[in-house]
Amino acid sequence: MKSLMLAALLAFPFPAMADPVQGAAEALNRYRAARGVPPVTQSARLQAAAEHHGADMVKRGYFAHKSPSGSGPAKRAKRAGYRYCFIAENIAKGQKTLAQVMDGWANSPPHARNMSSEKATQFALARAADNTWVMMLGRPGC
């Protein structure tokens, strides 16, 4: 039933584009609305952090929230100038479309929790080579 509901939420045409961020905002906010959670907006600073992490994972051949040098989502966000009181990250690899990656995260309890967190007010989504995806969610300031 959960998969059918998500399929219905994601069953709208995504524009063919190299940058899936706009489609991600629509999909993520539909997902959040279905759970009674306010929408999030895009953050350029989180976008920079997400893009950097995706590219780093591809370049250095790892797949993890923590880089081989020890930086995690919090450190990456701060390095990108994002001062936060909440930060979360979803990563995925291999999904070829935005709908596939969103469905995968929605069906994974820890990732779904991040996407539906009431603490998040902003997000970013990056897609690196080899279909490596990074979503960051945050709340600035506080």
Side-chain angles (χ1 to χ4, degrees), residues 61-83:
Y62 71 96
F63 181 73
H65 292 287
K66 193 172 244 187
S67 75
S69 59
S71 70
K75 192 170 190 176
R76 286 190 292 278
K78 285 181 183 176
R79 194 178 308 133
Y82 192 79
R83 303 293 174 238

Side-chain angles (χ1 to χ4, degrees), residues 2-14 26-35 106:
K2 184 163 79 170
S3 285
L4 288 175
M5 187 168 93
L6 182 63
L9 289 172
L10 296 176
F12 62 92
F14 290 103
E26 293 172 30
L28 178 58
N29 283 326
R30 282 184 185 207
Y31 179 84
R32 290 173 64 85
R35 282 147 188 81

Side-chain angles (χ1 to χ4, degrees), residues 124-141:
L125 178 74
R127 181 181 187 183
D130 298 335
N131 291 309
T132 299
W133 301 79
V134 178
M135 176 183 279
M136 294 190 77
L137 298 119
R139 176 185 295 251

